[in-house]
Amino acid sequence: MKNNSEYIIEVKNAKKVYRMGKERILAVDDVSFSIKKGEFCCLYGASGSGKSTLLNLMAGIEKLSSGQIIIKGHNIHRMSEKGLAKFRQNTLGFVFQSYNLLNSMTALENVELPLVFKHMSVKRRRKMAREMLKNVGLADRQKHKPTEMSGGQQQRVGIARAFVSNPEIVFADEPTGNLDSKTSREVMDIIKRMAKANNQTIVMVTHDKGLTEYADRIIHIFDGKIEEIIDLKAEDKKDNEAPTGNTG
Ligand code: ADP
Ligand code: MG
């Protein structure tokens, strides 16, 4: 399928119902929005509002109850299991709240892992992983295992791993949820810098209002629905507009 849309991600009437015995939980309730390439988009809302479910639907991790999710022109919920796995490998990166690093592997090996599946020479992928670690300020921690690093350092390894294959889209679910506020800012600065450098699209989930200011656009989720969409870039523009004075 060709992608004629100016949007890299389109969410159309997405709905997710969980069934727990007799109970029906409407976690995502008829949500529609689109994201442009290179945009930093934040899904913001209270705990339990459906942010993670929505992100997992967008990443093809959870199955939609109804609606569509189109990424780069592909209806990802119509793809075969294999096709989706390949698509994820080639197009998407992930950053997790709990880092999800392999404890038996060094920082370098963890960052290298996404490239192992990409038929790349060991030498080349090691070089790329090393460069990524340098990029996140961990050149001197290559041989450390996750348990030998601080939370902030582990998340920087997580970020290096997410970006090493240069994915067009990076999904991040509460990436600073386990970090103190100073380290959170450092981690957010790295994510933003990396994404802007390569025009990558970020979709980040957070319940932390303070972190939404890193985004270009905030999608405020309440009770499974969109409460409000705030375009911070447009507000920037407004703020920067020179006063026109009295032009009569
Ligand atoms: P958030 O990430 O905003 O905290 P979630 O997307 O995790 O919210 O959850 C949204 C709602 O869906 C909550 O009421 C939660 O209890 C419910 N929920 C999430 N995952 C499941 C699941 N696997 N089975 C049943 N209910 C779920
Ligand atoms: Mg969540």
Side-chain angles (χ1 to χ4, degrees), residues 8 35-39 168-170 199-203:
I8 189 165
I35 299 177
K36 283 184 186 153
K37 184 168 169 63
E39 189 172 38
E168 284 182 70
I169 303 167
V170 175
N199 197 30
Q200 281 150 316
T201 308
I202 305 286
V203 186

Side-chain angles (χ1 to χ4, degrees), residues 15 25 46 75 86 185 221:
K15 207 177 243 195
I25 298 165
N75 188 333
K86 194 99 210 139
R185 303 225 144 242
I221 308 288

Side-chain angles (χ1 to χ4, degrees), residues 114-126:
L115 304 176
V116 170
F117 307 103
K118 288 202 154 186
H119 310 290
M120 200 178 270
S121 74
V122 179
K123 205 172 157 187
R124 174 135 182 261
R125 68 177 195 234
R126 197 141 294 170

Side-chain angles (χ1 to χ4, degrees), residues 18-20 25-28 45-54 62 173-174 205 221:
Y18 289 114
R19 287 197 171 78
M20 302 279 287
I25 298 165
L26 194 48
V28 174
S47 171
S49 58
K51 308 178 298 291
S52 294
T53 305
L54 181 54
E62 290 268 12
D173 193 344
E174 309 267 10
V205 160
I221 308 288

